Amino acid sequence: QKEVEQDPGPLSVPEGAIVSLNCTYSNSAFQYFMWYRQYSRKGPELLMYTYSSGNKEDGRFTAQVDKSSKYISLFIRDSQPSDSATYLCAMNDMRFGAGTRLTVKP
Amino acid sequence: SQTIHQWPATLVQPVGSPLSLECTVEGTSNPNLYWYRQAAGRGLQLLFYSVGIGQISSEVPQNLSASRPQDRQFILSSKKLLLSDSGFYLCAWSVTGEDGYTFGSGTRLTVV
């Protein structure tokens, strides 16, 4: 079993939709959880950072951590075409998910 | 402010040729430094990380090596490239490893 599992998609949604991106992990010792956004041919950029369980909101983005289920989510409200990118989850031991490719259609 | 520089942006090399990719960080001291590889349509694979000068940890056995000759310089090398070495190479840094990573702009390597 991989330490971090992420559905690679691709995921295509219409503009304005709510997007849900998810990762599962196997190591219960993980405490820090991150979401990165990567535009085509660019390096990933840190989008959201959470510690332990709970929710964190930043504008249209909400990161959610459920440590009991070893499950993390990123929600994007009112999605925009500019949100089209690959989204990667990461844990505090430098492991990344495979990334989910998201396309938001105008 | 902290910045990370990575070059070259693209590189085409023949099989069997050597490789040297350089990464430098500005505006911070004693950063943790990382090399990742991203194959087409795949996630990030951690190759090497370093917590200090001369300290290199390897995650994946391969024909690549890394060195950290200075505090803010991280170099990825190979003596003889293989076709399977093609990919997008990313350098990153962090302060503690638990505070998120800042990535460079990447080097797209094609081995022909």
Side-chain angles (χ1 to χ4, degrees), chain B residues 18-37:
Chain B
L19 173 73
S20 180
L21 302 180
E22 188 165 341
C23 172
T24 59
V25 180
E26 295 179 357
T28 187
S29 296
N30 197 31
N32 293 338
L33 296 173
Y34 311 86
W35 278 112
Y36 285 88
R37 177 170 61 200

Side-chain angles (χ1 to χ4, degrees), chain A residues 8-79:
Chain A
L11 183 62
S12 181
V13 301
E15 183 176 354
I18 296 174
V19 177
S20 173
L21 304 167
N22 310 294
C23 285
T24 59
Y25 61 94
S26 58
N27 190 340
S28 58
F30 289 152
Q31 295 281 353
Y32 300 86
F33 307 92
M34 292 155 273
W35 285 96
Y36 287 80
R37 178 174 60 195
Q38 184 178 22
Y39 292 113
S40 181
R41 298 182 174 272
K42 302 289 186 183
E45 55 178 337
L46 183 62
L47 192 61
M48 298 283 286
Y49 175 95
T50 54
Y51 171 72
S52 196
S53 286
N55 292 356
K56 182 175 182 179
E57 190 173 319
D58 183 2
R60 295 184 295 110
F61 298 89
T62 299
Q64 192 173 80
V65 175
D66 182 349
K67 291 196 72 180
S68 62
S69 301
K70 299 195 189 94
Y71 191 85
I72 67 171
S73 301
L74 177 71
F75 298 97
I76 307 174
R77 293 185 300 278
D78 188 24
S79 56

Side-chain angles (χ1 to χ4, degrees), chain B residues 1 4 7 14 16 22 27 34 37-38 40 45 49 51 54-55 60 75 78 90-91 97 100-101 107-108:
Chain B
S1 63
I4 180 168
W7 66 91
E22 188 165 341
Y34 311 86
R37 177 170 61 200
Q38 187 174 36
Q45 178 187 32
Y49 69 93
V51 298
Q55 300 178 60
V60 182
I75 298 172
S78 174
L90 289 154
C91 179
Y101 316 110
T107 295
R108 189 160 303 278

Side-chain angles (χ1 to χ4, degrees), chain B:
Chain B
S1 63
Q2 301 93 348
T3 56
I4 180 168
H5 301 280
Q6 195 178 339
W7 66 91
T10 59
L11 191 59
V12 180
Q13 292 283 99
V15 169
S17 64
L19 173 73
S20 180
L21 302 180
E22 188 165 341
C23 172
T24 59
V25 180
E26 295 179 357
T28 187
S29 296
N30 197 31
N32 293 338
L33 296 173
Y34 311 86
W35 278 112
Y36 285 88
R37 177 170 61 200
Q38 187 174 36
R42 299 181 65 181
L44 295 172
Q45 178 187 32
L46 178 63
L47 301 175
F48 301 95
Y49 69 93
S50 171
V51 298
I53 295 174
Q55 300 178 60
I56 308 295
S57 295
S58 174
E59 287 289 307
V60 182
Q62 63 231 320
N63 69 320
L64 299 173
S65 63
S67 62
R68 185 169 177 175
Q70 300 180 42
D71 181 43
R72 289 170 288 180
Q73 184 185 31
F74 205 21
I75 298 172
L76 182 69
S77 304
S78 174
K79 292 182 180 178
K80 285 187 177 182
L81 284 168
L82 306 173
L83 286 174
S84 58
D85 291 324
S86 294
F88 192 41
Y89 288 82
L90 289 154
C91 179
W93 76 272
S94 71
V95 175
T96 66
E98 296 173 340
D99 56 338
Y101 316 110
T102 300
F103 285 87
S105 53
T107 295
R108 189 160 303 278
L109 170 68
T110 304
V111 182
V112 296

